[in-house]
Amino acid sequence: EMVYLDRNPDVLQNADTVIIEYMSGGLAAASPWPGYYVFPDHKTWLLTSYIFRKYVLGPIFGPVTNAFGSLPVTGVADAAQLQRFQTLISSVSTNRNVVIFMYPMLWELHDQHSWLETTAPVRDLCRQNSLTCIDVAREPTWTESAYKGDGVHPTVAGNKVLASILARAVTSKSAQ
């Protein structure tokens, strides 16, 4: 996302409100691009060929793509990424509403200590810049039932809850 915003400055210049999602690992060191098997850029011509290369040849001859770490990305905040994010926030928050929402994975919803540690740099940034910072894990309407089976993505009902949390935050920020 940071690269996209670097390449498309008009996106932020034309926005009245900027909403940023933060998940654990979001400020970790950038990982190398994993390749077309993970993020294809076109439809495969022949699905059988794709499946054969990915699931048969891959295990026999080794990974076809470069190793890029775990999914989801985990780890502590990288100093360079944190500085880059701070610079972005400082430049954007001078004349726009900025709302940062911190979105936990299901296991983080249960491990509050780890979640507070993970989100500490973002909470500090919100305090320093007087930003609206929403910790979804602390919202009473956000529960385990809001997640799909993967423990990351919200269900349809979870999306509705998340939308109401964000709408409330944006509306209250705009009214100030």
Side-chain angles (χ1 to χ4, degrees):
E1 293 85 4
M2 299 282 282
V3 171
Y4 175 81
L5 293 174
D6 288 345
R7 292 180 182 165
N8 300 282
D10 60 304
V11 172
L12 291 177
Q13 291 167 355
N14 295 324
D16 295 328
T17 300
V18 177
I19 301 174
I20 299 171
E21 174 194 22
Y22 177 77
M23 293 178 70
S24 61
L27 294 174
S31 55
W33 184 69
Y36 293 107
Y37 287 116
V38 178
F39 298 111
D41 68 344
H42 61 281
K43 290 183 181 179
T44 58
W45 188 67
L46 185 60
L47 184 59
T48 306
S49 170
Y50 172 80
I51 291 171
F52 182 75
R53 286 190 323 240
K54 183 172 182 177
Y55 295 106
V56 176
L57 294 180
I60 293 171
F61 296 108
V64 179
T65 62
N66 54 349
F68 66 103
S70 61
L71 277 178
V73 176
T74 58
V76 297
D78 176 67
Q81 292 290 10
L82 181 57
Q83 180 59 47
R84 186 177 185 193
F85 188 60
Q86 288 172 333
T87 302
L88 172 74
I89 293 301
S90 295
S91 69
V92 170
S93 63
T94 55
N95 55 358
R96 288 169 198 78
N97 295 331
V98 176
V99 175
I100 298 177
F101 75 100
M102 301 177 294
Y103 180 84
M105 289 180 264
L106 180 57
W107 71 269
E108 292 166 324
L109 196 62
H110 297 295
D111 187 353
Q112 283 294 309
H113 176 73
S114 175
W115 178 242
L116 288 174
E117 215 173 273
T118 297
T119 58
V122 175
R123 286 184 284 111
D124 289 344
L125 189 62
C126 287
R127 273 192 295 276
Q128 292 164 3
N129 292 280
S130 301
L131 304 175
T132 301
C133 198
I134 306 299
D135 185 348
V136 175
R138 292 183 176 204
E139 292 289 326
T141 55
W142 190 258
T143 63
E144 290 180 22
S145 65
Y147 293 94
K148 288 183 177 179
D150 65 4
V152 176
H153 298 96
T155 61
V156 171
N159 272 317
K160 290 178 182 178
V161 170
L162 193 56
S164 72
I165 293 168
L166 292 175
R168 199 170 48 245
V170 170
T171 303
S172 69
K173 181 72 176 173
S174 297
Q176 295 176 352

